[in-house]
Amino acid sequence: MSGSITGVQKRICDIVPNATFVHCCSHNINLVLCDAAKSSRKIQSFFDSVQDIYNFFSSSSPRWAQLAFGEEYGMKINKITLKKVCPTRWEARHNALFSLKHRFVDVLKALSNIKLSSSKKDEINMVTTLKKKMENAEFVIILCIWEPILKSL
């Protein structure tokens, strides 16, 4: 929007030459958070793991159903579903962390059930990796710290 050739800033300056450009505070905070997350390999790895969990369940209807309905496959549907991690929109990142935090136990149960019932070696390996990441204390701490930070934005 602030492009000097065809951006909104240029168009406004063409009409009102003495108009001053002011950066959007929300955009500045978004850039700061983006840089903060990129500066730490652990935080990058954390968000990659959250995305991997979403990808694992969303890539298979039976897995998604097991997570959505739980063990009993009954009529109860959980209203909060896992969300994907958006690389640029921090509100979407908050939604991804909030849903994972809220459904944390359900996700672990679903992973355990898949591990016990699956006959596919690659699926079992993926479940084992994801479960190990989620059960790591560092993962839980980062989840509990970043979710409220992103919520306040």
Side-chain angles (χ1 to χ4, degrees):
M1 296 217 20
S2 63
S4 61
I5 298 172
T6 60
V8 174
Q9 176 187 3
K10 170 72 170 139
R11 292 178 186 183
I12 290 173
C13 284
D14 289 345
I15 298 168
V16 183
N18 49 344
T20 57
F21 177 73
V22 178
H23 286 281
C24 172
C25 291
S26 295
H27 183 67
N28 285 342
I29 291 172
N30 188 21
L31 292 173
V32 168
L33 281 173
C34 199
D35 288 343
K38 287 178 184 175
S39 68
S40 169
R41 182 68 198 131
K42 289 185 184 211
I43 301 301
Q44 283 180 330
S45 177
F46 167 77
F47 281 112
D48 290 343
S49 297
V50 173
Q51 183 63 39
D52 290 343
I53 293 165
Y54 171 80
N55 290 342
F56 177 75
F57 283 102
S58 67
S59 65
S60 167
S61 294
R63 288 185 224 144
W64 193 258
Q66 187 166 5
L67 183 61
F69 295 107
E71 298 170 10
E72 67 277 354
Y73 284 96
M75 295 303 293
K76 181 183 164 221
I77 298 176
N78 289 302
K79 293 183 179 180
I80 298 177
T81 60
L82 296 181
K83 309 284 189 220
K84 65 181 177 178
V85 176
C86 179
T88 56
R89 301 203 181 272
W90 285 90
E91 181 180 347
R93 286 191 181 213
H94 171 260
N95 293 340
L97 296 187
F98 174 79
S99 62
L100 181 60
K101 187 177 173 185
H102 184 77
R103 301 289 311 279
F104 194 83
V105 174
D106 296 332
V107 171
L108 284 176
K109 283 181 183 178
L111 289 172
S112 295
N113 289 337
I114 293 167
K115 184 176 180 179
L116 293 173
S117 63
S118 179
S119 59
K120 301 173 187 170
K121 189 161 180 85
D122 59 332
E123 186 176 55
I124 293 171
N125 290 338
M126 185 63 165
V127 166
T128 304
T129 302
L130 292 175
K131 200 165 179 293
K132 195 179 285 186
K133 286 180 181 180
M134 284 185 69
E135 290 172 338
N136 184 343
E138 190 173 82
F139 182 91
V140 176
I141 290 169
I142 293 171
L143 177 63
C144 291
I145 290 173
W146 272 89
E147 190 272 327
I149 289 171
L150 296 176
K151 180 181 181 180
S152 64
L153 301 176

